[in-house]
Amino acid sequence: MLNNLAICELLHIDYPIIQGGMAWLGTAELVSAVSNAGGLGTIGSGDAPTEWLREQIKQTRERTDRPFAVNIMMMSPFLADNLKLVVEEKVGILTFGGGNPGVYLAGLKEAGVKVMPVVSSVALARRLERLGADAVIAEGMESGGHVGETTTMALVPQVAGNLKVPAIAAGGIADGRGLVAALALGAQGVQMGTRFICSEECIAHPRFKEQILQANDRATIVTGAPTGHPVRCLENKLTYKFTALEKAGASNEELEELGRGKLSLGIMQGNIEEGSLMAGQIAGLIKEIKPVRAIIQDVMAEAEQIIDAMGKYKAKG
Ligand code: TUI
């Protein structure tokens, strides 16, 4: 079951599960584990320099011969060089986040790269399909990190219903129920970030993982809306500071200054009060750190069980 999805054929993967290309955490360890388990791992280049990305591509290739992707963050200071590198290195699949990659699509298509931009609106999804996107990842505001304004529940059917290319659902998904819901909404598969942070292979600091395990349904908050870059994180001392500054009408420069360097402080160094702990609303559902293979197998088994059980809703007669 679930082995005839177009997205699996497009990406040459076994299961319709993509690992979100998280900055700092989408490293060779996690990416190769996801791809080796039959999903699509994604290197998260974030705002990392080109040499870091080159090394991660090399290390990923040493650990897997399965397909994997690179996520390019549109706000990266190394955007142009990172794009050049992924074309040179013949990375077959790219995802984009945090902005509109429209101007790069024609060149990437010509280079034979499959492109799957992350979108948070139907308008951008349609524009990018017209420009040659092979699929889109429709990400709802439940997700961690940089967020749009529409929920996954509302966004996915509208994106899927307006596009010919496959849509992948992201934001608020961490188990088989989420996968089945995504398929019901017209998506071809799911992208998960927070669920994969709580894997054995993810290099996130153990204290960050533990904060996700301790989270409940209301543990996250969005800050940064006044700067035009709203970001969802686990609530902590840093988000209280952000909220207070925003209420006091602080300038963009002040807010950006407060945010500088805080992501690695939180997720890599484990400073859970002063650092930025980007995570999605589904954190409250995650209660266990598991190997990547178990995460993927459990999601698939649960999804298949639900699809079977749903036969009971068929009308009689
Ligand atoms: O990109 C993400 N999530 C992110 S990016 C990010 S930034 C960062 N900050 C510090 C260090 C490292 C990285 C953190 N989390 N998700 C994908 C996503 N993209 N969600 C929403 C969008 C998006 C937003 C606007 C896509 C396109 C877009 O275009 C606006 C336009 O120009 O139409």
Side-chain angles (χ1 to χ4, degrees):
M1 209 195 282
L2 291 179
N3 57 1
N4 56 353
L5 291 160
I7 195 73
C8 292
E9 274 164 42
L10 176 73
L11 303 175
H12 302 289
I13 54 178
D14 297 335
Y15 305 119
I17 298 176
I18 298 173
Q19 165 244 320
M22 299 168 286
W24 295 99
L25 305 182
T27 63
E29 291 87 345
L30 180 59
V31 175
S32 59
V34 172
S35 290
N36 282 332
L40 184 75
T42 308
I43 297 175
S45 62
D47 53 10
T50 307
E51 279 317 304
W52 180 91
L53 180 55
R54 189 192 304 281
E55 184 58 27
Q56 291 302 318
I57 293 170
K58 179 170 167 268
Q59 286 185 25
T60 302
R61 284 188 168 142
E62 283 166 10
R63 290 162 180 253
T64 186
D65 49 14
R66 300 273 195 122
F68 65 92
V70 168
N71 175 267
I72 300 282
M73 211 263 290
M74 292 301 295
M75 295 174 275
S76 164
F78 307 101
L79 176 63
D81 282 349
N82 285 355
L83 276 172
K84 219 167 105 206
L85 174 73
V86 293
V87 170
E88 274 168 21
E89 285 287 329
K90 299 194 182 347
V91 174
I93 309 167
L94 280 192
T95 67
F96 282 93
N100 177 356
V103 294
Y104 300 108
L105 255 59
L108 291 168
K109 295 306 302 168
E110 211 167 294
V113 180
K114 287 173 187 152
V115 182
M116 303 196 294
V118 180
V119 297
S120 46
S121 72
V122 173
L124 183 59
R126 288 173 65 139
R127 211 174 309 141
L128 293 172
E129 178 182 52
R130 228 178 300 128
L131 292 172
D134 295 276
V136 298
I137 301 166
E139 186 184 88
M141 51 86 81
E142 296 92 321
S143 74
H146 185 88
V147 287
E149 288 180 1
T150 309
T151 61
T152 302
M153 187 82 164
L155 182 66
V156 173
Q158 296 188 72
V159 168
N162 276 289
L163 262 55
K164 291 193 184 67
V165 297
I168 311 290
I173 300 167
D175 65 7
R177 294 173 295 181
L179 171 55
V180 176
L183 297 173
L185 294 175
Q188 284 267 323
V190 294
Q191 174 172 281
M192 304 193 294
T194 310
R195 175 61 273 195
F196 283 120
I197 297 174
C198 289
S199 65
E200 285 177 4
E201 292 87 343
C202 179
I203 64 162
H205 195 284
R207 278 200 292 271
F208 175 39
K209 295 185 184 183
E210 185 56 32
Q211 285 303 103
I212 295 176
L213 300 184
Q214 296 298 327
N216 65 19
D217 55 323
R218 300 194 59 207
T220 69
I221 186 167
V222 175
T223 60
T227 68
H229 298 296
V231 166
R232 182 180 298 284
C233 297
L234 295 178
E235 202 165 24
N236 63 2
K237 215 184 253 179
L238 178 69
T239 66
Y240 296 145
K241 269 194 205 164
F242 261 112
T243 310
L245 270 183
E246 285 170 16
K247 277 201 181 126
S251 66
N252 279 5
E253 290 73 39
E254 278 176 272
L255 293 167
E256 275 161 22
E257 183 52 38
L258 178 61
R260 201 155 295 147
K262 294 300 195 315
L263 184 58
S264 64
L265 181 67
I267 72 178
M268 304 303 290
Q269 295 169 49
N271 187 335
I272 56 171
E273 284 306 332
E274 311 280 344
S276 168
L277 306 180
M278 291 184 187
Q281 286 184 322
I282 205 67
L285 197 75
I286 299 165
K287 294 294 166 215
E288 194 183 359
I289 294 167
K290 295 195 279 196
V292 160
R293 192 172 288 277
I295 292 174
I296 291 180
Q297 290 296 328
D298 290 355
V299 168
M300 292 308 299
E302 189 182 26
E304 290 178 358
Q305 206 179 353
I306 293 168
I307 292 170
D308 273 347
M310 278 185 162
K312 72 182 176 202
Y313 295 126
K314 277 190 192 146
K316 289 206 177 79

